Amino acid sequence: MKKIAHLSHYFFRKDKKQILSFGFIILITSLILNLATVLALRIDPAYDRQSEELHSADIDMVIPAMTDSAALSNAVASHVSVTQLEKQRAILQKAVMKDFRGTDFELSIMFYNWDDSRAIHRLSCVECIEKALSGENAIYLPLYIAEFGEYALGEKITFSVDGRDFTYTVAGVVQEMQYGNASAEIMGVFLPDAPYRQLAEDFPGSEVVNYAVRTVKGADNQTVLADLRKTAEEHHAAVLSALTGEAKKQSRMMVTNLLTMILAAFAVIVLLVSIFLCQFRIKTSVAEEMAQMGVLQSLGFTSGGIIKAIVLPYTVTALLFSVIGAAGSYALLPSLVNVLALQAGFRFEVAFSAAALILTVALLTAVTLIFTRLAAGKIHHLQPIAAIRGITEGKGMRKNRFAIARTPGGVNCVLTLKQMAASAQRNVLLFAVLFVMTILIAFSGSLFYNVIMQPDHFMNTLSDESPDVILQVSSSDISGMKQTVGHLNGAEKVLSYSVLQVQVEKENAAAFVCEDFSKAQNDGCYEGRYPASDREIAIGSTLAERLGSGIGDTAAVTYGGKSHSYRVVGLVQSVNNRGEICELTEEGFCVISEDKIRSLYVYLNNGADADVFIENAKAVFGESIVSAVNAAKKQSEAQSMYTAIVNIVIIAVFVVTILIVLLILYVIIRSMITQRRQEFGICKAIGYSGRQLVAQTAGSLMPVTIAAALSSALLGLVWLPAVYNVIFGMIGAMKNHMEQPVGILLLFAAAEIVVTLLISVFWVRPIKKIEAYSLIKE
């Protein structure tokens, strides 16, 4: 064993720089893999732990307070799977938050009473003003609104409800796991008793009761929720909103889950590169030291002993550098967690994970050990005498490819081609590595195009219809008002479009009602078509699954106590509403409601300012405009969060790609120089300059580089759509709007080719400094 250790130390000293370059690739792999593993192992339990600490409900069901009754409470509480029930009063209103990160943000708000005691959905105060705010209306905001909306303690926040403004002073920021981020389309805020009662008096009939339900462990909460809906219906109580804990968790953890999956895939790709590298280096080392291998066998070393001596430096290097990389990942983790915590709407700290460290280190070390042993297995077939003479089994004369006498073209060009063809193994390695790295480049290039250059592609996949301005109007002549709005400066088109809560076959759903879906901007229909008449409906993916309905079936829609059946003509998606939606034409909605659509979606010409348009509209219509929302700015602010994450991914991909290409080319070019030193010396002796040899050697790598980069980039046209389908399908987006422009893919591939050329020239330059005599003799 001592002899093997000495021999292993010799091999390490001889190839120290190249083994360390392999170690740096393992370090990068370990860093990325540990990040993904920690996120996967820690954040999900952190969410569950926070939910348990705050005693969050497994099911939330909201009904109007006027329809609540003791009989309904008893019926819900007596359900076989219900272990605890708490009724929480609130005021549910469609409201506009003023100056939310510089714009107006409209969504449904649950105004809870801060002074009510809570056993379920407890509140954790992140920061609160200690002394009561005398003479002022106070409000306690969830973390998502406070941080993303940029509201600090003591600042004012204004809610516009039905055309009336209500201003409060931020007295505290709380964490809660019920309606704590915008993904549920409802946000919860908390008012002290006095302002709560005042708001209830201002909007009589707006009070609701949230049935917060805890169920037995292992219960199918979706089935329990269906039972509770039926119970509410039997007691003549309309269910305004209903959500399971699992659905809330899925929507709040959406970005975290996506990022974890991308990081894991990234780590696997880099790991493949490291495998290619160690196999190439070991096979090259065996070929270079063939005579020495024969001498070692003649001196009594067994083939197995030599293999162990060769494998040991790589295995130890993988072990040490994977530990360093895993430890280094914790320097990046806090920044990453802060971004994810903002989207999820709750704070969590990711501590050291021994399981992630063991898993990362064990995986990388084991993979290195297995593949290095496989690469060194050739030593078993070496015969000592033949090896000393430099002959391996089955080795014969190599074919003289691109013979100078017979190949047309200049001598320098032919010598470049000869160098390119001299090592099939080197070409395979370079092609495989650059092909794999171009996959990352193509993915980041596609993200760059769809999220930064053409953000509508990405946002339309995640969001619903996105106009530039949303006007809520009170005029009796809505059609005339719509026509006038369409003629205001900057307006391109105006649509009657509204989002309401209905029931589809007794299932709660958000109904998107539009005068003509063909004029809408965002196409979320992934099967069939949009409704075009008053007898047609399109339903969401989750709703279709629950009801077992498809195209051609009928679905009964209930609104305000009136019901009508429609024929299903299409299936549509909605990430924000978890697929629990339906779409009706304006004429179709009028069948079940006498209410007119009082919401106008305005689309502006390119370059038009939404704030200026809103001011003009208010000047023309005055009090006929109940509320006006700059939806373009709201969309832009939401996009900024995703853009920040994508920028991190793109920068990381380029940095990692450059580092890996740098290290791979170092190993390849060092091997080339070692193998061809005598040839380079002869070329210098007969008159070739160092610059010519650098150009020939670097140029010999270019055909393989260009072939790998271009082929991988063009294949992105095939595999990128499949990748996006998998990624977005995980969050309920059955159809995505992501494009794969050939120009962008080729541009990023060309950038990789240029970087590879520059790195090659950098590593080959030492040839210029070596004298011809030294090259020939050494």
Coordinates of all heavy atoms in Angstrom, one line a residue, residues 505-586:
E505 N -70.5 23.9 -12.4 CA -70.9 22.6 -11.9 C -70.5 22.5 -10.4 O -70.0 21.5 -9.9 CB -70.2 21.4 -12.6 CG -70.6 21.3 -14.1 CD -72.0 20.8 -14.3 OE1 -72.6 20.3 -13.3 OE2 -72.5 20.9 -15.4
K506 N -70.9 23.6 -9.6 CA -70.7 23.7 -8.2 C -69.3 23.8 -7.7 O -69.0 23.7 -6.6 CB -71.4 22.5 -7.5 CG -72.9 22.4 -7.8 CD -73.5 21.1 -7.1 CE -75.0 21.0 -7.5 NZ -75.6 19.8 -6.9
E507 N -68.4 24.0 -8.7 CA -67.0 24.2 -8.4 C -66.7 25.7 -8.6 O -67.1 26.3 -9.6 CB -66.0 23.4 -9.3 CG -66.1 21.9 -9.2 CD -65.3 21.5 -8.0 OE1 -64.5 22.3 -7.4 OE2 -65.4 20.3 -7.6
N508 N -66.1 26.4 -7.6 CA -65.7 27.8 -7.7 C -64.7 28.0 -8.8 O -63.8 27.2 -9.0 CB -65.1 28.3 -6.4 CG -66.2 28.6 -5.3 OD1 -67.4 28.6 -5.7 ND2 -65.8 28.8 -4.1
A509 N -64.9 29.1 -9.5 CA -64.0 29.4 -10.6 C -64.0 30.9 -10.9 O -65.0 31.6 -10.7 CB -64.4 28.6 -11.9
A510 N -62.9 31.4 -11.4 CA -62.8 32.8 -11.9 C -63.3 32.8 -13.3 O -62.8 32.0 -14.2 CB -61.4 33.3 -11.8
A511 N -64.3 33.6 -13.6 CA -64.9 33.7 -15.0 C -64.2 34.9 -15.7 O -64.4 36.0 -15.2 CB -66.4 33.8 -14.9
F512 N -63.6 34.6 -16.8 CA -63.1 35.7 -17.6 C -64.1 36.0 -18.7 O -64.4 35.1 -19.5 CB -61.8 35.3 -18.3 CG -60.6 35.1 -17.3 CD1 -60.5 34.0 -16.5 CD2 -59.7 36.1 -17.1 CE1 -59.5 33.9 -15.6 CE2 -58.6 36.0 -16.2 CZ -58.6 34.9 -15.5
V513 N -64.7 37.2 -18.7 CA -65.8 37.6 -19.6 C -65.3 38.6 -20.5 O -64.8 39.7 -20.1 CB -67.0 38.1 -18.8 CG1 -68.1 38.4 -19.7 CG2 -67.5 37.0 -17.8
C514 N -65.4 38.4 -21.8 CA -64.9 39.3 -22.8 C -65.9 39.4 -24.0 O -66.6 38.5 -24.3 CB -63.5 38.8 -23.3 SG -62.8 39.9 -24.6
E515 N -65.9 40.6 -24.5 CA -66.9 40.8 -25.7 C -66.4 40.0 -26.9 O -67.3 39.5 -27.6 CB -66.9 42.3 -26.0 CG -65.6 42.9 -26.5 CD -65.7 44.4 -26.9 OE1 -65.9 44.6 -28.1 OE2 -65.6 45.2 -26.0
D516 N -65.1 39.9 -27.1 CA -64.6 39.1 -28.2 C -63.2 38.7 -27.9 O -62.2 39.4 -28.0 CB -64.6 40.0 -29.5 CG -64.2 39.2 -30.8 OD1 -63.8 38.1 -30.6 OD2 -64.4 39.8 -31.9
F517 N -63.0 37.3 -27.7 CA -61.7 36.8 -27.3 C -60.7 36.9 -28.4 O -59.5 36.8 -28.2 CB -61.9 35.4 -26.7 CG -62.4 35.3 -25.4 CD1 -63.7 35.0 -25.1 CD2 -61.6 35.6 -24.3 CE1 -64.2 34.9 -23.8 CE2 -62.1 35.5 -23.0 CZ -63.4 35.2 -22.7
S518 N -61.2 36.9 -29.6 CA -60.3 37.0 -30.8 C -59.5 38.3 -30.8 O -58.4 38.4 -31.4 CB -61.0 36.8 -32.1 OG -61.9 37.9 -32.3
K519 N -60.0 39.3 -30.1 CA -59.3 40.6 -30.0 C -58.4 40.7 -28.8 O -57.7 41.7 -28.7 CB -60.4 41.8 -30.0 CG -61.2 41.8 -31.3 CD -62.2 43.0 -31.1 CE -63.1 43.1 -32.4 NZ -64.1 44.2 -32.3
A520 N -58.5 39.7 -27.9 CA -57.7 39.8 -26.7 C -56.2 39.6 -27.1 O -55.9 39.0 -28.2 CB -58.1 38.8 -25.7
Q521 N -55.3 39.9 -26.2 CA -53.9 39.9 -26.5 C -53.2 38.6 -26.2 O -52.3 38.1 -26.9 CB -53.2 41.0 -25.8 CG -51.7 41.2 -26.1 CD -51.1 42.4 -25.5 OE1 -51.4 43.5 -26.0 NE2 -50.4 42.3 -24.4
N522 N -53.6 38.0 -25.0 CA -52.9 36.8 -24.5 C -53.7 35.5 -24.9 O -54.9 35.4 -24.5 CB -52.8 36.9 -23.0 CG -51.9 35.8 -22.4 OD1 -51.3 35.0 -23.2 ND2 -51.7 35.7 -21.1
D523 N -53.1 34.6 -25.6 CA -53.8 33.4 -26.0 C -53.4 32.3 -25.1 O -52.3 31.7 -25.2 CB -53.3 33.1 -27.5 CG -54.0 31.8 -28.0 OD1 -55.0 31.3 -27.4 OD2 -53.6 31.3 -29.1
G524 N -54.3 31.9 -24.2 CA -54.1 30.9 -23.2 C -54.8 29.6 -23.6 O -54.9 28.7 -22.7
C525 N -55.4 29.5 -24.7 CA -56.2 28.3 -25.1 C -55.2 27.3 -25.7 O -54.6 27.5 -26.7 CB -57.3 28.7 -26.1 SG -58.3 27.3 -26.6
Y526 N -55.1 26.1 -25.0 CA -54.2 25.1 -25.5 C -54.9 23.9 -26.2 O -54.2 23.1 -26.7 CB -53.3 24.6 -24.3 CG -54.1 23.9 -23.2 CD1 -54.3 22.5 -23.3 CD2 -54.6 24.6 -22.1 CE1 -55.0 21.8 -22.3 CE2 -55.3 23.9 -21.1 CZ -55.5 22.5 -21.2 OH -56.2 21.9 -20.2
E527 N -56.2 23.9 -26.1 CA -56.9 22.8 -26.9 C -58.3 23.4 -27.2 O -58.9 24.0 -26.4 CB -57.0 21.6 -26.0 CG -57.6 20.4 -26.7 CD -57.6 19.1 -25.9 OE1 -56.8 19.0 -24.9 OE2 -58.5 18.2 -26.2
G528 N -58.7 23.1 -28.5 CA -60.0 23.7 -28.9 C -59.9 25.1 -29.3 O -58.9 25.6 -29.8
R529 N -60.9 25.9 -28.9 CA -60.9 27.3 -29.2 C -61.6 28.1 -28.1 O -62.2 27.5 -27.2 CB -61.6 27.6 -30.6 CG -63.1 27.1 -30.6 CD -63.7 27.4 -31.9 NE -65.1 26.9 -32.0 CZ -66.1 27.5 -31.5 NH1 -66.0 28.6 -30.8 NH2 -67.4 26.9 -31.6
Y530 N -61.6 29.4 -28.3 CA -62.3 30.3 -27.3 C -63.8 30.3 -27.6 O -64.2 30.0 -28.8 CB -61.8 31.7 -27.5 CG -60.4 32.0 -26.9 CD1 -59.3 32.4 -27.6 CD2 -60.3 31.9 -25.5 CE1 -58.1 32.7 -27.0 CE2 -59.1 32.1 -24.9 CZ -58.0 32.5 -25.7 OH -56.8 32.8 -25.1
P531 N -64.6 30.6 -26.6 CA -66.0 30.7 -26.9 C -66.3 31.9 -27.8 O -65.7 32.9 -27.7 CB -66.6 30.9 -25.5 CG -65.5 31.5 -24.7 CD -64.3 30.8 -25.2
A532 N -67.2 31.7 -28.7 CA -67.5 32.8 -29.7 C -69.0 33.1 -29.7 O -69.4 34.1 -30.4 CB -67.1 32.3 -31.1
S533 N -69.9 32.4 -28.9 CA -71.3 32.7 -28.9 C -71.8 32.6 -27.5 O -71.1 32.3 -26.6 CB -72.1 31.7 -29.8 OG -72.1 30.5 -29.2
D534 N -73.1 33.0 -27.3 CA -73.7 33.0 -25.9 C -74.0 31.6 -25.4 O -74.5 31.4 -24.3 CB -74.9 33.8 -25.9 CG -76.0 33.3 -26.9 OD1 -75.7 32.3 -27.6 OD2 -77.1 33.9 -26.9
R535 N -73.7 30.5 -26.2 CA -74.0 29.2 -25.8 C -72.7 28.4 -25.5 O -72.7 27.2 -25.3 CB -74.8 28.4 -26.9 CG -76.1 29.1 -27.2 CD -76.9 28.3 -28.2 NE -76.2 28.2 -29.5 CZ -76.3 29.1 -30.4 NH1 -77.0 30.2 -30.2 NH2 -75.6 29.0 -31.6
E536 N -71.5 29.0 -25.6 CA -70.2 28.3 -25.5 C -69.4 28.8 -24.3 O -69.6 29.9 -23.8 CB -69.4 28.6 -26.8 CG -70.1 28.0 -28.0 CD -69.3 28.3 -29.3 OE1 -68.5 29.3 -29.3 OE2 -69.6 27.6 -30.3
I537 N -68.6 27.9 -23.9 CA -67.7 28.2 -22.7 C -66.3 27.5 -22.9 O -66.3 26.4 -23.6 CB -68.3 27.7 -21.4 CG1 -67.5 28.2 -20.2 CG2 -68.5 26.2 -21.4 CD1 -68.2 27.8 -18.9
A538 N -65.3 28.0 -22.4 CA -64.0 27.4 -22.3 C -63.7 27.2 -20.8 O -64.0 28.1 -20.0 CB -62.9 28.2 -23.0
I539 N -63.1 26.1 -20.4 CA -62.8 25.9 -19.0 C -61.3 25.6 -18.8 O -60.6 25.2 -19.7 CB -63.7 24.7 -18.4 CG1 -63.4 23.4 -19.2 CG2 -65.1 25.0 -18.5 CD1 -64.1 22.2 -18.6
G540 N -60.9 25.9 -17.5 CA -59.5 25.7 -17.2 C -59.1 24.3 -17.1 O -59.9 23.4 -16.9
S541 N -57.8 24.0 -17.1 CA -57.2 22.7 -17.0 C -57.6 22.0 -15.8 O -58.0 20.8 -15.8 CB -55.7 22.8 -17.2 OG -55.1 23.6 -16.2
T542 N -57.4 22.6 -14.6 CA -57.8 21.9 -13.3 C -59.2 21.7 -13.2 O -59.7 20.6 -12.7 CB -57.3 22.8 -12.2 OG1 -55.9 23.1 -12.3 CG2 -57.6 22.1 -10.8
L543 N -60.0 22.6 -13.7 CA -61.5 22.5 -13.6 C -61.9 21.3 -14.5 O -62.8 20.5 -14.1 CB -62.2 23.8 -14.1 CG -63.6 24.1 -13.6 CD1 -63.6 24.1 -12.1 CD2 -64.1 25.4 -14.1
A544 N -61.3 21.2 -15.7 CA -61.7 20.1 -16.6 C -61.3 18.8 -16.0 O -62.1 17.8 -16.1 CB -60.9 20.3 -17.9
E545 N -60.2 18.7 -15.3 CA -59.8 17.5 -14.6 C -60.7 17.1 -13.5 O -61.1 15.9 -13.4 CB -58.3 17.6 -14.1 CG -57.7 16.4 -13.5 CD -56.3 16.6 -13.0 OE1 -55.7 17.6 -13.4 OE2 -55.8 15.7 -12.3
R546 N -61.1 18.0 -12.7 CA -62.0 17.7 -11.6 C -63.4 17.3 -12.0 O -64.0 16.4 -11.5 CB -62.2 19.0 -10.7 CG -61.0 19.3 -9.8 CD -61.3 20.4 -8.9 NE -60.1 21.0 -8.3 CZ -60.0 22.1 -7.6 NH1 -61.1 22.9 -7.6 NH2 -58.9 22.5 -7.0
L547 N -63.9 18.0 -13.1 CA -65.2 17.7 -13.5 C -65.2 16.5 -14.5 O -66.3 15.9 -14.8 CB -65.8 18.9 -14.3 CG -65.9 20.2 -13.4 CD1 -66.5 21.3 -14.3 CD2 -66.9 19.9 -12.3
G548 N -64.1 16.1 -15.0 CA -64.0 15.0 -16.0 C -64.6 15.4 -17.3 O -65.2 14.6 -18.0
S549 N -64.6 16.7 -17.6 CA -65.2 17.3 -18.8 C -64.2 17.5 -19.9 O -63.0 17.8 -19.6 CB -65.9 18.6 -18.4 OG -66.9 18.4 -17.5
G550 N -64.6 17.5 -21.1 CA -63.8 17.8 -22.2 C -64.5 18.5 -23.3 O -65.7 18.9 -23.1
I551 N -63.9 18.8 -24.4 CA -64.5 19.5 -25.5 C -65.7 18.7 -26.0 O -65.7 17.5 -26.2 CB -63.5 19.8 -26.6 CG1 -62.4 20.7 -26.1 CG2 -64.2 20.4 -27.8 CD1 -61.3 20.9 -27.1
G552 N -66.9 19.4 -26.1 CA -68.1 18.8 -26.5 C -69.1 18.5 -25.4 O -70.3 18.3 -25.6
D553 N -68.6 18.5 -24.2 CA -69.5 18.3 -23.0 C -70.2 19.6 -22.7 O -69.9 20.7 -23.2 CB -68.7 17.8 -21.8 CG -68.1 16.4 -22.0 OD1 -68.7 15.6 -22.8 OD2 -67.0 16.1 -21.4
T554 N -71.1 19.5 -21.7 CA -71.8 20.7 -21.3 C -71.4 21.0 -19.8 O -71.0 20.1 -19.1 CB -73.3 20.6 -21.3 OG1 -73.7 19.4 -20.5 CG2 -73.7 20.4 -22.8
A555 N -71.4 22.3 -19.4 CA -71.1 22.7 -18.1 C -72.1 23.8 -17.6 O -72.3 24.7 -18.4 CB -69.7 23.2 -18.0
A556 N -72.6 23.6 -16.5 CA -73.6 24.5 -15.9 C -72.8 25.6 -15.1 O -72.0 25.3 -14.2 CB -74.6 23.8 -15.0
V557 N -73.1 26.9 -15.4 CA -72.5 28.0 -14.7 C -73.5 28.7 -13.9 O -74.6 29.0 -14.4 CB -71.8 29.0 -15.7 CG1 -71.2 30.1 -15.0 CG2 -70.8 28.2 -16.6
T558 N -73.2 29.0 -12.6 CA -74.1 29.7 -11.7 C -73.5 31.0 -11.3 O -72.4 31.0 -10.9 CB -74.4 28.8 -10.5 OG1 -75.0 27.5 -10.9 CG2 -75.5 29.5 -9.6
Y559 N -74.3 32.0 -11.3 CA -73.9 33.4 -10.9 C -75.1 34.1 -10.3 O -76.1 34.2 -11.0 CB -73.3 34.2 -12.0 CG -72.8 35.5 -11.6 CD1 -71.6 35.7 -11.0 CD2 -73.6 36.7 -11.9 CE1 -71.2 37.0 -10.6 CE2 -73.2 37.9 -11.6 CZ -72.0 38.1 -10.9 OH -71.5 39.4 -10.5
G560 N -75.0 34.6 -9.1 CA -76.1 35.3 -8.5 C -77.4 34.5 -8.4 O -78.5 35.1 -8.5
G561 N -77.3 33.2 -8.2 CA -78.5 32.4 -8.0 C -79.1 31.9 -9.3 O -80.0 31.1 -9.3
K562 N -78.6 32.4 -10.5 CA -79.1 32.0 -11.8 C -78.1 31.1 -12.5 O -76.9 31.3 -12.4 CB -79.4 33.2 -12.6 CG -80.2 32.9 -13.8 CD -80.6 34.3 -14.5 CE -81.6 34.0 -15.7 NZ -81.9 35.3 -16.4
S563 N -78.6 30.0 -13.1 CA -77.7 29.0 -13.7 C -78.1 28.8 -15.2 O -79.3 28.9 -15.6 CB -77.8 27.7 -12.9 OG -77.0 26.7 -13.5
H564 N -77.1 28.4 -16.0 CA -77.3 28.1 -17.4 C -76.2 27.1 -17.9 O -75.1 27.2 -17.4 CB -77.3 29.3 -18.2 CG -77.7 29.1 -19.7 ND1 -78.9 28.8 -20.1 CD2 -76.9 29.1 -20.8 CE1 -78.9 28.7 -21.4 NE2 -77.7 28.8 -21.9
S565 N -76.6 26.2 -18.8 CA -75.6 25.2 -19.3 C -75.0 25.7 -20.6 O -75.7 26.3 -21.5 CB -76.3 23.9 -19.5 OG -76.6 23.3 -18.3
Y566 N -73.7 25.5 -20.8 CA -73.0 25.9 -22.0 C -72.2 24.7 -22.5 O -71.9 23.8 -21.8 CB -72.0 27.0 -21.6 CG -72.6 28.3 -21.0 CD1 -72.8 28.4 -19.7 CD2 -72.9 29.4 -21.8 CE1 -73.4 29.5 -19.1 CE2 -73.4 30.5 -21.3 CZ -73.7 30.6 -19.9 OH -74.2 31.7 -19.4
R567 N -71.9 24.8 -23.8 CA -71.1 23.7 -24.4 C -69.7 24.1 -24.4 O -69.2 25.2 -24.7 CB -71.6 23.5 -25.9 CG -70.9 22.3 -26.6 CD -71.6 22.0 -27.9 NE -71.4 23.1 -28.8 CZ -70.4 23.2 -29.7 NH1 -69.4 22.3 -29.7 NH2 -70.3 24.2 -30.5
V568 N -68.9 23.1 -23.9 CA -67.4 23.3 -23.8 C -66.8 23.3 -25.1 O -66.9 22.2 -25.8 CB -66.8 22.3 -22.8 CG1 -65.3 22.5 -22.8 CG2 -67.4 22.4 -21.4
V569 N -66.1 24.3 -25.5 CA -65.5 24.4 -26.9 C -63.9 24.5 -26.8 O -63.2 24.4 -27.8 CB -66.0 25.5 -27.7 CG1 -67.5 25.3 -28.0 CG2 -65.8 26.9 -27.0
G570 N -63.4 24.7 -25.6 CA -62.0 24.8 -25.5 C -61.5 24.6 -24.0 O -62.2 24.7 -23.1
L571 N -60.2 24.4 -23.9 CA -59.5 24.2 -22.6 C -58.5 25.3 -22.5 O -57.7 25.5 -23.5 CB -58.8 22.9 -22.5 CG -59.8 21.6 -22.6 CD1 -59.0 20.4 -22.4 CD2 -60.9 21.7 -21.5
V572 N -58.5 26.1 -21.4 CA -57.6 27.2 -21.3 C -56.8 27.1 -20.0 O -57.1 26.3 -19.1 CB -58.4 28.5 -21.3 CG1 -59.0 28.8 -22.6 CG2 -59.5 28.5 -20.2
Q573 N -55.7 27.9 -19.9 CA -54.8 27.8 -18.7 C -54.8 29.1 -18.0 O -55.2 30.1 -18.5 CB -53.4 27.5 -19.2 CG -52.7 28.6 -19.9 CD -51.3 28.2 -20.4 OE1 -51.1 27.1 -20.7 NE2 -50.5 29.2 -20.6
S574 N -54.5 29.0 -16.7 CA -54.3 30.2 -15.9 C -53.4 29.8 -14.7 O -53.9 29.1 -13.8 CB -55.6 30.8 -15.4 OG -55.4 31.8 -14.5
V575 N -52.1 30.2 -14.8 CA -51.2 29.8 -13.7 C -51.6 30.5 -12.4 O -51.6 29.9 -11.3 CB -49.8 30.3 -14.1 CG1 -48.8 30.0 -12.9 CG2 -49.3 29.5 -15.3
N576 N -52.0 31.8 -12.5 CA -52.4 32.5 -11.3 C -53.6 31.9 -10.6 O -53.7 32.0 -9.3 CB -52.7 34.0 -11.6 CG -51.4 34.7 -12.0 OD1 -50.3 34.4 -11.6 ND2 -51.5 35.8 -12.7
N577 N -54.5 31.4 -11.3 CA -55.8 30.8 -10.8 C -55.7 29.3 -10.7 O -56.8 28.7 -10.5 CB -57.0 31.3 -11.6 CG -57.2 32.8 -11.4 OD1 -57.9 33.2 -10.5 ND2 -56.8 33.6 -12.4
R578 N -54.5 28.8 -10.9 CA -54.3 27.3 -10.8 C -55.2 26.5 -11.7 O -55.6 25.4 -11.4 CB -54.5 26.9 -9.3 CG -53.6 27.6 -8.4 CD -54.0 27.4 -6.9 NE -55.4 27.9 -6.7 CZ -55.7 29.1 -6.6 NH1 -54.7 30.1 -6.6 NH2 -56.9 29.5 -6.4
G579 N -55.6 27.1 -12.8 CA -56.4 26.4 -13.8 C -57.9 26.3 -13.4 O -58.7 25.6 -14.1
E580 N -58.3 27.0 -12.3 CA -59.7 27.0 -11.9 C -60.4 28.2 -12.5 O -60.8 29.1 -11.8 CB -59.7 27.0 -10.4 CG -59.1 25.8 -9.7 CD -58.9 26.0 -8.2 OE1 -59.2 27.1 -7.7 OE2 -58.6 25.0 -7.6
I581 N -60.6 28.2 -13.8 CA -61.2 29.3 -14.5 C -62.2 28.8 -15.6 O -62.2 27.6 -15.9 CB -60.1 30.2 -15.2 CG1 -59.4 29.4 -16.3 CG2 -59.1 30.7 -14.2 CD1 -58.6 30.3 -17.2
C582 N -62.9 29.8 -16.1 CA -63.7 29.5 -17.3 C -63.8 30.8 -18.1 O -63.4 31.9 -17.5 CB -65.1 29.0 -16.9 SG -66.2 30.3 -16.1
E583 N -64.2 30.7 -19.3 CA -64.3 31.9 -20.2 C -65.6 31.9 -20.8 O -66.1 30.9 -21.4 CB -63.1 31.9 -21.2 CG -61.8 32.2 -20.6 CD -60.7 32.2 -21.6 OE1 -60.9 31.7 -22.7 OE2 -59.6 32.8 -21.4
L584 N -66.3 33.1 -20.8 CA -67.6 33.3 -21.4 C -67.6 34.6 -22.2 O -66.9 35.5 -21.9 CB -68.7 33.4 -20.3 CG -69.0 32.2 -19.4 CD1 -69.8 32.6 -18.2 CD2 -69.7 31.2 -20.3
T585 N -68.3 34.6 -23.3 CA -68.5 35.8 -24.0 C -69.4 36.8 -23.2 O -70.1 36.3 -22.3 CB -69.1 35.6 -25.4 OG1 -70.5 35.0 -25.2 CG2 -68.3 34.6 -26.2
E586 N -69.4 38.0 -23.6 CA -70.3 39.0 -22.9 C -71.7 38.6 -23.0 O -72.5 38.7 -22.1 CB -70.0 40.4 -23.4 CG -70.7 41.5 -22.6 CD -70.2 42.9 -23.1 OE1 -69.6 43.0 -24.1 OE2 -70.6 43.9 -22.4

